[in-house]
C-alpha cells in the first residue's frame, strides 16, 4: 500500500518498477495507492488502497481498524473481492515508505499490515522493502505483527534506528537488512549521524563520483 500524493514515494516506486522490469521485462506491476500517483509512464496499474473497511464495509473506519488490530481477520474474510485481488499476485512487495510499521502511525498501520495478513493466510509470498519501523511497545499489536511478518521473505529498513526497533520485535525470521536513506543526509549533518560505519566508504565514493561528474 502506497500513501500517494507524495513525490518522494512516487520516485521510489518508479525506481522499484524499473528494477522489477529490468529483471523481468514481462512483469505486470500493480500499485495500491491511497491517493494519486504519476506512474502511468512506467506501465504500472493503479488500484485503490486496501484498508480494514474493505473487510468490514459497514463499520466505521476506527472500529474496523480496531478489529483488525485485535486479530479478527480470518481466512473466510479473504473471500472479499477486494482482498482476493491480492491473492492473484505472484509476489507482493510492501513499501517503500516511512513511518510505516510501529506505534508512530497506529491509525495507518492496519492498512499497511492488512495485505500482508492476506498473504500470510493464503500463502502468497511477500517482502517488505525500504520502510521505517518502530517503536513496538504495544504488546497486543506485537503478537499480530509477529504472526504476519514472520512469513516475509525479506525485510529492508530505511535507517539504523528502524533496524534496532525491528530487532527488538523478536522475530527469528525474515532476514533483515538496513539501508541508508539520503533524506537524512542534510549538508549540515555528518555521515556519522545517518550512516553505519560499513556504509560510509560507499557513501563517500558516490559523493566523490558526483563531484567529479556533476552532469
Amino acid at each position: 500500500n502506497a500513501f500517494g500524493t507524495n513525490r518522494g514515494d512516487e520516485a521510489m516506486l518508479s525506481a522499484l518498477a524499473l528494477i522489477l522490469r529490468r529483471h523481468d521485462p514481462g512483469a505486470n506491476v500493480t500499485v495500491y495507492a491511497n491517493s494519486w500517483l504519476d506512474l502511468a509512464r512506467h506501465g504500472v496499474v493503479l488500484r485503490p488502497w486496501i484498508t480494514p473497511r474493505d473487510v468490514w464495509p459497514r463499520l466505521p473506519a476506527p472500529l474496523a481498524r480496531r478489529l483488525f488490530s485485535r486479530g479478527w481477520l480470518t481466512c473466510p474474510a479473504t473471500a472479499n473481492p477486494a482482498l482476493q485481488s491480492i491473492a492473484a499476485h505472484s509476489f507482493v512487495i510492501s513499501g517503500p515508505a516511512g513511518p510505516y510499521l510501529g506505534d508512530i502511525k497506529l491509525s495507518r498501520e492496519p492498512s499497511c499490515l492488512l495485505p500482508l495478513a492476506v498473504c500470510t493466510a493464503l500463502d502468497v509470498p511477500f517482502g517488505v522493502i525500504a520502510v521505517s519501523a518502530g517503536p513496538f511497545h504495544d504488546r497486543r499489536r506485537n503478537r499480530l505483527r509477529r504472526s504476519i511478518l514472520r512469513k516475509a521473505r525479506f525485510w529492508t529498513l530505511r535507517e539504523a534506528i528502524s533496524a534496532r526497533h525491528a530487532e527488538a520485535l523478536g522475530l527469528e525470521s525474515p532476514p533483515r537488512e538496513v539501508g541508508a536513506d539520503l533524506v537524512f543526509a542534510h549538508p549540515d549533518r555528518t555521515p556519522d549521524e545517518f550512516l553505519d560505519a560499513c556504509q560510509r566508504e560507499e557513501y563517500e565514493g558516490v559523493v566523490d563520483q558526483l563531484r567529479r561528474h556533476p552532469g
Side-chain angles (χ1 to χ4, degrees), residues 9-10 12 15 20 30 45 47 88 97 112 159 166 170 181 184 208:
D9 288 353
E10 186 177 286
M12 290 189 291
L20 291 172
T30 300
V45 175
R47 290 184 177 173
C112 299
E159 58 278 312
D181 189 341
F184 300 101
D208 182 62

Side-chain angles (χ1 to χ4, degrees), residues 3 21 26 32 45 48 54 57 62 70 77 96 98 101 103 108 113 120-121 140 160 164-165 184 189 193 205 209:
F3 296 130
R21 292 269 167 67
Y32 295 82
V45 175
D54 291 298
R70 292 184 177 182
L101 302 170
D103 298 339
R108 285 185 174 178
L113 283 175
T120 297
R140 177 182 292 171
R164 291 194 291 271
H165 287 316
F184 300 101
R189 303 178 73 188
E193 294 181 86
Q209 185 177 10

Side-chain angles (χ1 to χ4, degrees), residues 18-99:
L18 292 173
I19 290 170
L20 291 172
R21 292 269 167 67
R22 183 184 302 166
H23 286 281
D24 183 359
N28 296 314
V29 181
T30 300
V31 171
Y32 295 82
N34 187 36
S35 54
W36 179 82
L37 286 166
D38 181 16
L39 297 172
R41 64 191 184 281
H42 300 304
V44 171
V45 175
L46 285 179
R47 290 184 177 173
W49 204 10
I50 295 176
T51 75
R53 288 212 63 191
D54 291 298
V55 184
W56 299 284
R58 297 182 180 181
L59 298 180
L63 180 55
R65 290 195 298 265
R66 194 175 304 123
L67 288 177
F68 172 77
S69 298
R70 292 184 177 182
W72 281 36
L73 178 68
T74 58
C75 288
T78 60
N80 182 293
L83 303 185
Q84 276 294 330
S85 66
I86 298 172
H89 300 299
S90 57
F91 199 92
V92 171
I93 297 175
S94 189

